[in-house]
Amino acid sequence: MISNLTIRFATPADASAIAAMSRAEIEHGLPWTWREPRVRAAIADPDTNVIVVGPPGAVTAFGLMYYADDDAHLLLFAVHRSQQRQGVGGALLQWLEDAARAAGASRIRVEARMDNEAARSFYNERGYHE
C-alpha cells in the first residue's frame, strides 16, 4: 500500500472531474450516464460513499459505493492510467471494503465489462468472483 496516499470524501467540486474520468475510463463506447449532476447527487446521497485521490479539480482516482441493507454495490471505480499499478486502486478498494463492513454489508458487488481484462483481474486478485 502507498504510505503517502490521501483518500478523502468527494465534494461537489470534484463532480466534474469524476464524471470526466467515468466517461474516459469506464463509459467509453457506451452512453454517458454518470454526468456531473448524477455524480453530485451520489456525493450528496447519505447511502453512498464517494471517495477520491487528488486535489479538487485534479482527481486521479475515485470510487463510488452504494449501501442498501446488508449489501454494498461498487457503482464506479477508476484510477487514471498514469496512476495504475502503483497501489492506488488497491488502497481505494480496501477503504471502501472497510466502510462496507462497518456499515454491516455481508456482500459487496462489483461490475466490470467483459472485455476489461485488467479490471476483471484486479477484482479476481482481491477475492471477487464472477
Side-chain angles (χ1 to χ4, degrees), residues 36-71:
E36 186 174 347
R38 187 174 181 195
V39 173
R40 283 181 183 271
I43 291 169
D45 183 356
D47 294 325
T48 304
N49 277 334
V50 183
I51 59 170
V52 296
V53 173
V59 172
T60 59
F62 70 88
L64 196 152
M65 186 175 279
Y66 173 75
Y67 307 92
D69 300 321
D70 64 347
D71 191 56

PDB file of all heavy atoms in Angstrom, residues 36-71:
ATOM      1  N   GLU A  36     -22.056  14.999 -14.587  1.00  0.00           N
ATOM      2  CA  GLU A  36     -21.846  15.773 -13.359  1.00  0.00           C
ATOM      3  C   GLU A  36     -23.074  15.816 -12.440  1.00  0.00           C
ATOM      4  O   GLU A  36     -22.918  15.610 -11.219  1.00  0.00           O
ATOM      5  CB  GLU A  36     -21.373  17.180 -13.709  1.00  0.00           C
ATOM      6  CG  GLU A  36     -20.998  17.989 -12.496  1.00  0.00           C
ATOM      7  CD  GLU A  36     -20.397  19.336 -12.843  1.00  0.00           C
ATOM      8  OE1 GLU A  36     -20.030  19.579 -14.007  1.00  0.00           O
ATOM      9  OE2 GLU A  36     -20.294  20.160 -11.912  1.00  0.00           O
ATOM     10  N   PRO A  37     -24.294  16.067 -12.920  1.00  0.00           N
ATOM     11  CA  PRO A  37     -25.439  16.107 -11.989  1.00  0.00           C
ATOM     12  C   PRO A  37     -25.658  14.785 -11.247  1.00  0.00           C
ATOM     13  O   PRO A  37     -25.971  14.783 -10.051  1.00  0.00           O
ATOM     14  CB  PRO A  37     -26.632  16.438 -12.890  1.00  0.00           C
ATOM     15  CG  PRO A  37     -26.037  17.132 -14.064  1.00  0.00           C
ATOM     16  CD  PRO A  37     -24.695  16.475 -14.275  1.00  0.00           C
ATOM     17  N   ARG A  38     -25.474  13.672 -11.929  1.00  0.00           N
ATOM     18  CA  ARG A  38     -25.657  12.372 -11.274  1.00  0.00           C
ATOM     19  C   ARG A  38     -24.557  12.125 -10.244  1.00  0.00           C
ATOM     20  O   ARG A  38     -24.812  11.577  -9.163  1.00  0.00           O
ATOM     21  CB  ARG A  38     -25.681  11.261 -12.321  1.00  0.00           C
ATOM     22  CG  ARG A  38     -26.023   9.914 -11.731  1.00  0.00           C
ATOM     23  CD  ARG A  38     -26.179   8.859 -12.797  1.00  0.00           C
ATOM     24  NE  ARG A  38     -26.543   7.573 -12.213  1.00  0.00           N
ATOM     25  CZ  ARG A  38     -26.469   6.428 -12.858  1.00  0.00           C
ATOM     26  NH1 ARG A  38     -26.071   6.395 -14.122  1.00  0.00           N
ATOM     27  NH2 ARG A  38     -26.799   5.301 -12.263  1.00  0.00           N
ATOM     28  N   VAL A  39     -23.335  12.522 -10.560  1.00  0.00           N
ATOM     29  CA  VAL A  39     -22.239  12.368  -9.605  1.00  0.00           C
ATOM     30  C   VAL A  39     -22.487  13.253  -8.385  1.00  0.00           C
ATOM     31  O   VAL A  39     -22.299  12.815  -7.242  1.00  0.00           O
ATOM     32  CB  VAL A  39     -20.877  12.687 -10.261  1.00  0.00           C
ATOM     33  CG1 VAL A  39     -19.759  12.688  -9.221  1.00  0.00           C
ATOM     34  CG2 VAL A  39     -20.569  11.689 -11.374  1.00  0.00           C
ATOM     35  N   ARG A  40     -22.939  14.492  -8.603  1.00  0.00           N
ATOM     36  CA  ARG A  40     -23.260  15.381  -7.478  1.00  0.00           C
ATOM     37  C   ARG A  40     -24.335  14.768  -6.584  1.00  0.00           C
ATOM     38  O   ARG A  40     -24.251  14.853  -5.352  1.00  0.00           O
ATOM     39  CB  ARG A  40     -23.734  16.742  -7.979  1.00  0.00           C
ATOM     40  CG  ARG A  40     -22.642  17.641  -8.451  1.00  0.00           C
ATOM     41  CD  ARG A  40     -23.231  19.000  -8.907  1.00  0.00           C
ATOM     42  NE  ARG A  40     -22.180  19.830  -9.414  1.00  0.00           N
ATOM     43  CZ  ARG A  40     -21.449  20.651  -8.680  1.00  0.00           C
ATOM     44  NH1 ARG A  40     -21.674  20.749  -7.386  1.00  0.00           N
ATOM     45  NH2 ARG A  40     -20.498  21.377  -9.230  1.00  0.00           N
ATOM     46  N   ALA A  41     -25.339  14.155  -7.196  1.00  0.00           N
ATOM     47  CA  ALA A  41     -26.399  13.508  -6.416  1.00  0.00           C
ATOM     48  C   ALA A  41     -25.840  12.361  -5.585  1.00  0.00           C
ATOM     49  O   ALA A  41     -26.226  12.178  -4.423  1.00  0.00           O
ATOM     50  CB  ALA A  41     -27.508  13.021  -7.343  1.00  0.00           C
ATOM     51  N   ALA A  42     -24.922  11.596  -6.157  1.00  0.00           N
ATOM     52  CA  ALA A  42     -24.297  10.495  -5.408  1.00  0.00           C
ATOM     53  C   ALA A  42     -23.476  11.021  -4.242  1.00  0.00           C
ATOM     54  O   ALA A  42     -23.499  10.459  -3.149  1.00  0.00           O
ATOM     55  CB  ALA A  42     -23.429   9.650  -6.340  1.00  0.00           C
ATOM     56  N   ILE A  43     -22.764  12.115  -4.464  1.00  0.00           N
ATOM     57  CA  ILE A  43     -21.964  12.719  -3.390  1.00  0.00           C
ATOM     58  C   ILE A  43     -22.861  13.155  -2.236  1.00  0.00           C
ATOM     59  O   ILE A  43     -22.499  13.012  -1.065  1.00  0.00           O
ATOM     60  CB  ILE A  43     -21.127  13.894  -3.934  1.00  0.00           C
ATOM     61  CG1 ILE A  43     -20.025  13.369  -4.869  1.00  0.00           C
ATOM     62  CG2 ILE A  43     -20.524  14.729  -2.807  1.00  0.00           C
ATOM     63  CD1 ILE A  43     -19.316  14.437  -5.672  1.00  0.00           C
ATOM     64  N   ALA A  44     -24.049  13.636  -2.561  1.00  0.00           N
ATOM     65  CA  ALA A  44     -24.982  14.118  -1.534  1.00  0.00           C
ATOM     66  C   ALA A  44     -25.796  12.993  -0.893  1.00  0.00           C
ATOM     67  O   ALA A  44     -26.400  13.205   0.165  1.00  0.00           O
ATOM     68  CB  ALA A  44     -25.928  15.145  -2.155  1.00  0.00           C
ATOM     69  N   ASP A  45     -25.813  11.817  -1.484  1.00  0.00           N
ATOM     70  CA  ASP A  45     -26.628  10.699  -1.005  1.00  0.00           C
ATOM     71  C   ASP A  45     -26.033  10.098   0.264  1.00  0.00           C
ATOM     72  O   ASP A  45     -24.894   9.623   0.254  1.00  0.00           O
ATOM     73  CB  ASP A  45     -26.715   9.638  -2.098  1.00  0.00           C
ATOM     74  CG  ASP A  45     -27.597   8.456  -1.730  1.00  0.00           C
ATOM     75  OD1 ASP A  45     -28.102   8.382  -0.593  1.00  0.00           O
ATOM     76  OD2 ASP A  45     -27.775   7.581  -2.597  1.00  0.00           O
ATOM     77  N   PRO A  46     -26.784  10.058   1.360  1.00  0.00           N
ATOM     78  CA  PRO A  46     -26.247   9.503   2.609  1.00  0.00           C
ATOM     79  C   PRO A  46     -26.003   7.993   2.552  1.00  0.00           C
ATOM     80  O   PRO A  46     -25.294   7.455   3.402  1.00  0.00           O
ATOM     81  CB  PRO A  46     -27.309   9.843   3.662  1.00  0.00           C
ATOM     82  CG  PRO A  46     -28.562  10.052   2.874  1.00  0.00           C
ATOM     83  CD  PRO A  46     -28.151  10.569   1.539  1.00  0.00           C
ATOM     84  N   ASP A  47     -26.557   7.308   1.553  1.00  0.00           N
ATOM     85  CA  ASP A  47     -26.353   5.866   1.409  1.00  0.00           C
ATOM     86  C   ASP A  47     -25.217   5.531   0.448  1.00  0.00           C
ATOM     87  O   ASP A  47     -25.046   4.374   0.052  1.00  0.00           O
ATOM     88  CB  ASP A  47     -27.641   5.197   0.910  1.00  0.00           C
ATOM     89  CG  ASP A  47     -28.756   5.274   1.938  1.00  0.00           C
ATOM     90  OD1 ASP A  47     -28.462   5.206   3.150  1.00  0.00           O
ATOM     91  OD2 ASP A  47     -29.924   5.415   1.527  1.00  0.00           O
ATOM     92  N   THR A  48     -24.444   6.538   0.054  1.00  0.00           N
ATOM     93  CA  THR A  48     -23.371   6.355  -0.906  1.00  0.00           C
ATOM     94  C   THR A  48     -22.100   7.012  -0.399  1.00  0.00           C
ATOM     95  O   THR A  48     -22.148   8.130   0.117  1.00  0.00           O
ATOM     96  CB  THR A  48     -23.753   6.966  -2.271  1.00  0.00           C
ATOM     97  OG1 THR A  48     -24.984   6.394  -2.707  1.00  0.00           O
ATOM     98  CG2 THR A  48     -22.692   6.715  -3.323  1.00  0.00           C
ATOM     99  N   ASN A  49     -20.983   6.317  -0.526  1.00  0.00           N
ATOM    100  CA  ASN A  49     -19.670   6.918  -0.270  1.00  0.00           C
ATOM    101  C   ASN A  49     -19.009   7.182  -1.605  1.00  0.00           C
ATOM    102  O   ASN A  49     -18.918   6.280  -2.447  1.00  0.00           O
ATOM    103  CB  ASN A  49     -18.765   5.984   0.540  1.00  0.00           C
ATOM    104  CG  ASN A  49     -19.013   6.070   2.018  1.00  0.00           C
ATOM    105  OD1 ASN A  49     -19.466   7.070   2.522  1.00  0.00           O
ATOM    106  ND2 ASN A  49     -18.715   4.997   2.722  1.00  0.00           N
ATOM    107  N   VAL A  50     -18.554   8.398  -1.791  1.00  0.00           N
ATOM    108  CA  VAL A  50     -17.771   8.751  -2.962  1.00  0.00           C
ATOM    109  C   VAL A  50     -16.435   9.243  -2.431  1.00  0.00           C
ATOM    110  O   VAL A  50     -16.380  10.235  -1.703  1.00  0.00           O
ATOM    111  CB  VAL A  50     -18.443   9.834  -3.828  1.00  0.00           C
ATOM    112  CG1 VAL A  50     -17.616  10.103  -5.081  1.00  0.00           C
ATOM    113  CG2 VAL A  50     -19.868   9.424  -4.198  1.00  0.00           C
ATOM    114  N   ILE A  51     -15.369   8.519  -2.774  1.00  0.00           N
ATOM    115  CA  ILE A  51     -14.045   8.883  -2.298  1.00  0.00           C
ATOM    116  C   ILE A  51     -13.138   9.150  -3.489  1.00  0.00           C
ATOM    117  O   ILE A  51     -13.359   8.619  -4.579  1.00  0.00           O
ATOM    118  CB  ILE A  51     -13.442   7.805  -1.375  1.00  0.00           C
ATOM    119  CG1 ILE A  51     -13.340   6.451  -2.087  1.00  0.00           C
ATOM    120  CG2 ILE A  51     -14.245   7.698  -0.081  1.00  0.00           C
ATOM    121  CD1 ILE A  51     -12.545   5.399  -1.326  1.00  0.00           C
ATOM    122  N   VAL A  52     -12.138   9.983  -3.249  1.00  0.00           N
ATOM    123  CA  VAL A  52     -11.226  10.371  -4.328  1.00  0.00           C
ATOM    124  C   VAL A  52      -9.794  10.434  -3.820  1.00  0.00           C
ATOM    125  O   VAL A  52      -9.536  10.537  -2.625  1.00  0.00           O
ATOM    126  CB  VAL A  52     -11.610  11.744  -4.931  1.00  0.00           C
ATOM    127  CG1 VAL A  52     -12.968  11.700  -5.587  1.00  0.00           C
ATOM    128  CG2 VAL A  52     -11.547  12.842  -3.897  1.00  0.00           C
ATOM    129  N   VAL A  53      -8.884  10.413  -4.790  1.00  0.00           N
ATOM    130  CA  VAL A  53      -7.473  10.699  -4.560  1.00  0.00           C
ATOM    131  C   VAL A  53      -7.155  11.881  -5.454  1.00  0.00           C
ATOM    132  O   VAL A  53      -7.519  11.906  -6.626  1.00  0.00           O
ATOM    133  CB  VAL A  53      -6.584   9.498  -4.923  1.00  0.00           C
ATOM    134  CG1 VAL A  53      -5.113   9.864  -4.849  1.00  0.00           C
ATOM    135  CG2 VAL A  53      -6.896   8.307  -4.019  1.00  0.00           C
ATOM    136  N   GLY A  54      -6.513  12.871  -4.885  1.00  0.00           N
ATOM    137  CA  GLY A  54      -6.141  14.059  -5.652  1.00  0.00           C
ATOM    138  C   GLY A  54      -6.885  15.285  -5.165  1.00  0.00           C
ATOM    139  O   GLY A  54      -7.949  15.176  -4.560  1.00  0.00           O
ATOM    140  N   PRO A  55      -6.324  16.451  -5.445  1.00  0.00           N
ATOM    141  CA  PRO A  55      -6.960  17.694  -5.020  1.00  0.00           C
ATOM    142  C   PRO A  55      -8.195  18.005  -5.861  1.00  0.00           C
ATOM    143  O   PRO A  55      -8.343  17.464  -6.969  1.00  0.00           O
ATOM    144  CB  PRO A  55      -5.868  18.745  -5.242  1.00  0.00           C
ATOM    145  CG  PRO A  55      -5.023  18.182  -6.328  1.00  0.00           C
ATOM    146  CD  PRO A  55      -5.055  16.684  -6.140  1.00  0.00           C
ATOM    147  N   PRO A  56      -9.093  18.867  -5.365  1.00  0.00           N
ATOM    148  CA  PRO A  56     -10.264  19.239  -6.157  1.00  0.00           C
ATOM    149  C   PRO A  56      -9.847  19.722  -7.550  1.00  0.00           C
ATOM    150  O   PRO A  56      -8.903  20.490  -7.689  1.00  0.00           O
ATOM    151  CB  PRO A  56     -10.899  20.373  -5.349  1.00  0.00           C
ATOM    152  CG  PRO A  56     -10.478  20.098  -3.941  1.00  0.00           C
ATOM    153  CD  PRO A  56      -9.082  19.520  -4.062  1.00  0.00           C
ATOM    154  N   GLY A  57     -10.534  19.206  -8.547  1.00  0.00           N
ATOM    155  CA  GLY A  57     -10.229  19.588  -9.909  1.00  0.00           C
ATOM    156  C   GLY A  57      -9.128  18.767 -10.553  1.00  0.00           C
ATOM    157  O   GLY A  57      -8.889  18.872 -11.745  1.00  0.00           O
ATOM    158  N   ALA A  58      -8.433  17.968  -9.761  1.00  0.00           N
ATOM    159  CA  ALA A  58      -7.334  17.150 -10.293  1.00  0.00           C
ATOM    160  C   ALA A  58      -7.409  15.736  -9.720  1.00  0.00           C
ATOM    161  O   ALA A  58      -6.419  15.176  -9.279  1.00  0.00           O
ATOM    162  CB  ALA A  58      -5.997  17.789  -9.983  1.00  0.00           C
ATOM    163  N   VAL A  59      -8.594  15.147  -9.727  1.00  0.00           N
ATOM    164  CA  VAL A  59      -8.811  13.807  -9.198  1.00  0.00           C
ATOM    165  C   VAL A  59      -8.072  12.798 -10.065  1.00  0.00           C
ATOM    166  O   VAL A  59      -8.182  12.826 -11.289  1.00  0.00           O
ATOM    167  CB  VAL A  59     -10.326  13.502  -9.159  1.00  0.00           C
ATOM    168  CG1 VAL A  59     -10.582  12.054  -8.812  1.00  0.00           C
ATOM    169  CG2 VAL A  59     -11.020  14.428  -8.169  1.00  0.00           C
ATOM    170  N   THR A  60      -7.313  11.910  -9.427  1.00  0.00           N
ATOM    171  CA  THR A  60      -6.585  10.884 -10.176  1.00  0.00           C
ATOM    172  C   THR A  60      -7.189   9.491  -9.988  1.00  0.00           C
ATOM    173  O   THR A  60      -6.821   8.563 -10.715  1.00  0.00           O
ATOM    174  CB  THR A  60      -5.099  10.838  -9.777  1.00  0.00           C
ATOM    175  OG1 THR A  60      -5.001  10.555  -8.383  1.00  0.00           O
ATOM    176  CG2 THR A  60      -4.408  12.156 -10.091  1.00  0.00           C
ATOM    177  N   ALA A  61      -8.097   9.352  -9.027  1.00  0.00           N
ATOM    178  CA  ALA A  61      -8.764   8.069  -8.796  1.00  0.00           C
ATOM    179  C   ALA A  61     -10.016   8.331  -7.976  1.00  0.00           C
ATOM    180  O   ALA A  61     -10.077   9.300  -7.216  1.00  0.00           O
ATOM    181  CB  ALA A  61      -7.840   7.110  -8.054  1.00  0.00           C
ATOM    182  N   PHE A  62     -11.003   7.451  -8.144  1.00  0.00           N
ATOM    183  CA  PHE A  62     -12.215   7.597  -7.348  1.00  0.00           C
ATOM    184  C   PHE A  62     -12.931   6.265  -7.229  1.00  0.00           C
ATOM    185  O   PHE A  62     -12.738   5.351  -8.032  1.00  0.00           O
ATOM    186  CB  PHE A  62     -13.162   8.648  -7.939  1.00  0.00           C
ATOM    187  CG  PHE A  62     -13.807   8.225  -9.231  1.00  0.00           C
ATOM    188  CD1 PHE A  62     -14.996   7.522  -9.239  1.00  0.00           C
ATOM    189  CD2 PHE A  62     -13.216   8.521 -10.441  1.00  0.00           C
ATOM    190  CE1 PHE A  62     -15.581   7.112 -10.428  1.00  0.00           C
ATOM    191  CE2 PHE A  62     -13.787   8.123 -11.631  1.00  0.00           C
ATOM    192  CZ  PHE A  62     -14.982   7.410 -11.627  1.00  0.00           C
ATOM    193  N   GLY A  63     -13.763   6.164  -6.218  1.00  0.00           N
ATOM    194  CA  GLY A  63     -14.634   5.016  -6.025  1.00  0.00           C
ATOM    195  C   GLY A  63     -15.968   5.502  -5.519  1.00  0.00           C
ATOM    196  O   GLY A  63     -16.042   6.457  -4.742  1.00  0.00           O
ATOM    197  N   LEU A  64     -17.026   4.861  -5.960  1.00  0.00           N
ATOM    198  CA  LEU A  64     -18.380   5.252  -5.591  1.00  0.00           C
ATOM    199  C   LEU A  64     -19.125   3.985  -5.192  1.00  0.00           C
ATOM    200  O   LEU A  64     -19.326   3.105  -6.026  1.00  0.00           O
ATOM    201  CB  LEU A  64     -19.020   5.912  -6.821  1.00  0.00           C
ATOM    202  CG  LEU A  64     -20.266   6.742  -6.652  1.00  0.00           C
ATOM    203  CD1 LEU A  64     -20.298   7.778  -7.752  1.00  0.00           C
ATOM    204  CD2 LEU A  64     -21.499   5.886  -6.692  1.00  0.00           C
ATOM    205  N   MET A  65     -19.469   3.867  -3.900  1.00  0.00           N
ATOM    206  CA  MET A  65     -20.127   2.661  -3.407  1.00  0.00           C
ATOM    207  C   MET A  65     -21.440   3.014  -2.735  1.00  0.00           C
ATOM    208  O   MET A  65     -21.507   3.908  -1.904  1.00  0.00           O
ATOM    209  CB  MET A  65     -19.228   1.902  -2.425  1.00  0.00           C
ATOM    210  CG  MET A  65     -19.820   0.561  -1.988  1.00  0.00           C
ATOM    211  SD  MET A  65     -18.692  -0.397  -0.954  1.00  0.00           S
ATOM    212  CE  MET A  65     -17.645  -1.128  -2.203  1.00  0.00           C
ATOM    213  N   TYR A  66     -22.473   2.247  -3.111  1.00  0.00           N
ATOM    214  CA  TYR A  66     -23.826   2.418  -2.585  1.00  0.00           C
ATOM    215  C   TYR A  66     -24.110   1.308  -1.580  1.00  0.00           C
ATOM    216  O   TYR A  66     -23.753   0.152  -1.805  1.00  0.00           O
ATOM    217  CB  TYR A  66     -24.834   2.369  -3.738  1.00  0.00           C
ATOM    218  CG  TYR A  66     -26.269   2.359  -3.300  1.00  0.00           C
ATOM    219  CD1 TYR A  66     -26.871   3.518  -2.826  1.00  0.00           C
ATOM    220  CD2 TYR A  66     -27.018   1.188  -3.347  1.00  0.00           C
ATOM    221  CE1 TYR A  66     -28.191   3.513  -2.416  1.00  0.00           C
ATOM    222  CE2 TYR A  66     -28.347   1.172  -2.940  1.00  0.00           C
ATOM    223  CZ  TYR A  66     -28.923   2.339  -2.474  1.00  0.00           C
ATOM    224  OH  TYR A  66     -30.230   2.326  -2.063  1.00  0.00           O
ATOM    225  N   TYR A  67     -24.779   1.659  -0.484  1.00  0.00           N
ATOM    226  CA  TYR A  67     -25.098   0.710   0.575  1.00  0.00           C
ATOM    227  C   TYR A  67     -26.604   0.573   0.716  1.00  0.00           C
ATOM    228  O   TYR A  67     -27.314   1.571   0.795  1.00  0.00           O
ATOM    229  CB  TYR A  67     -24.525   1.184   1.918  1.00  0.00           C
ATOM    230  CG  TYR A  67     -23.055   1.484   1.851  1.00  0.00           C
ATOM    231  CD1 TYR A  67     -22.593   2.764   1.567  1.00  0.00           C
ATOM    232  CD2 TYR A  67     -22.122   0.480   2.053  1.00  0.00           C
ATOM    233  CE1 TYR A  67     -21.236   3.034   1.492  1.00  0.00           C
ATOM    234  CE2 TYR A  67     -20.761   0.745   1.977  1.00  0.00           C
ATOM    235  CZ  TYR A  67     -20.339   2.026   1.696  1.00  0.00           C
ATOM    236  OH  TYR A  67     -18.995   2.287   1.620  1.00  0.00           O
ATOM    237  N   ALA A  68     -27.091  -0.655   0.750  1.00  0.00           N
ATOM    238  CA  ALA A  68     -28.507  -0.934   0.976  1.00  0.00           C
ATOM    239  C   ALA A  68     -28.600  -2.187   1.841  1.00  0.00           C
ATOM    240  O   ALA A  68     -28.147  -3.258   1.434  1.00  0.00           O
ATOM    241  CB  ALA A  68     -29.243  -1.140  -0.341  1.00  0.00           C
ATOM    242  N   ASP A  69     -29.186  -2.037   3.007  1.00  0.00           N
ATOM    243  CA  ASP A  69     -29.327  -3.154   3.944  1.00  0.00           C
ATOM    244  C   ASP A  69     -27.972  -3.820   4.181  1.00  0.00           C
ATOM    245  O   ASP A  69     -27.049  -3.163   4.606  1.00  0.00           O
ATOM    246  CB  ASP A  69     -30.384  -4.145   3.454  1.00  0.00           C
ATOM    247  CG  ASP A  69     -31.753  -3.494   3.323  1.00  0.00           C
ATOM    248  OD1 ASP A  69     -32.090  -2.677   4.197  1.00  0.00           O
ATOM    249  OD2 ASP A  69     -32.457  -3.788   2.346  1.00  0.00           O
ATOM    250  N   ASP A  70     -27.858  -5.105   3.881  1.00  0.00           N
ATOM    251  CA  ASP A  70     -26.585  -5.796   4.116  1.00  0.00           C
ATOM    252  C   ASP A  70     -25.813  -6.007   2.813  1.00  0.00           C
ATOM    253  O   ASP A  70     -24.964  -6.882   2.713  1.00  0.00           O
ATOM    254  CB  ASP A  70     -26.804  -7.120   4.831  1.00  0.00           C
ATOM    255  CG  ASP A  70     -27.602  -8.116   4.012  1.00  0.00           C
ATOM    256  OD1 ASP A  70     -28.197  -7.710   2.994  1.00  0.00           O
ATOM    257  OD2 ASP A  70     -27.636  -9.303   4.391  1.00  0.00           O
ATOM    258  N   ASP A  71     -26.093  -5.171   1.825  1.00  0.00           N
ATOM    259  CA  ASP A  71     -25.494  -5.289   0.509  1.00  0.00           C
ATOM    260  C   ASP A  71     -24.791  -3.981   0.145  1.00  0.00           C
ATOM    261  O   ASP A  71     -25.328  -2.899   0.399  1.00  0.00           O
ATOM    262  CB  ASP A  71     -26.592  -5.591  -0.517  1.00  0.00           C
ATOM    263  CG  ASP A  71     -26.049  -5.981  -1.861  1.00  0.00           C
ATOM    264  OD1 ASP A  71     -25.261  -6.931  -1.930  1.00  0.00           O
ATOM    265  OD2 ASP A  71     -26.423  -5.327  -2.849  1.00  0.00           O
TER     266      ASP A  71
END
